[in-house]
Amino acid sequence: MNISYYDFKNLENQDQCSLVLHNGKIVNERTMNDLKYTLYEFSTFTVELMHNLSNEKLAVINVFQNRAAYAV
């Protein structure tokens, strides 16, 4: 799926999460204490989902623009 960073940021959190889980490519996962961090890659941005394992809920969605994607 090809979506821009800005279009993704304008989606509701639930829609962002669904898009990431269905279309993102997992780059890395790690668990620290009760938190699981999963890093997903899209074409021009990266999304980090942080899950609280004790209550099995999504805690945070962080979105990072991949500036290297625009380098010449």
Side-chain angles (χ1 to χ4, degrees):
M1 161 155 252
N2 196 7
I3 184 171
S4 75
Y5 169 83
Y6 297 105
D7 288 339
F8 183 84
K9 289 286 285 179
N10 286 327
L11 295 173
E12 297 290 326
N13 281 354
Q14 186 175 1
D15 294 332
Q16 286 180 350
C17 189
S18 177
L19 187 66
V20 168
L21 293 175
H22 291 99
N23 298 92
K25 176 185 171 191
I26 295 177
V27 177
N28 196 5
E29 285 183 313
R30 91 171 182 231
T31 303
M32 291 177 41
N33 300 324
D34 282 347
L35 296 174
K36 179 180 178 184
Y37 299 86
T38 308
L39 197 62
Y40 294 86
E41 182 180 63
F42 284 83
S43 59
T44 60
F45 61 96
T46 303
V47 179
E48 177 187 52
L49 297 183
M50 185 186 333
H51 286 88
N52 187 327
L53 298 176
S54 61
N55 63 10
E56 298 184 10
K57 290 190 177 183
L58 180 64
V60 175
I61 298 175
N62 291 316
V63 185
F64 306 99
Q65 195 168 15
N66 296 346
R67 301 216 185 267
Y70 300 108
V72 178

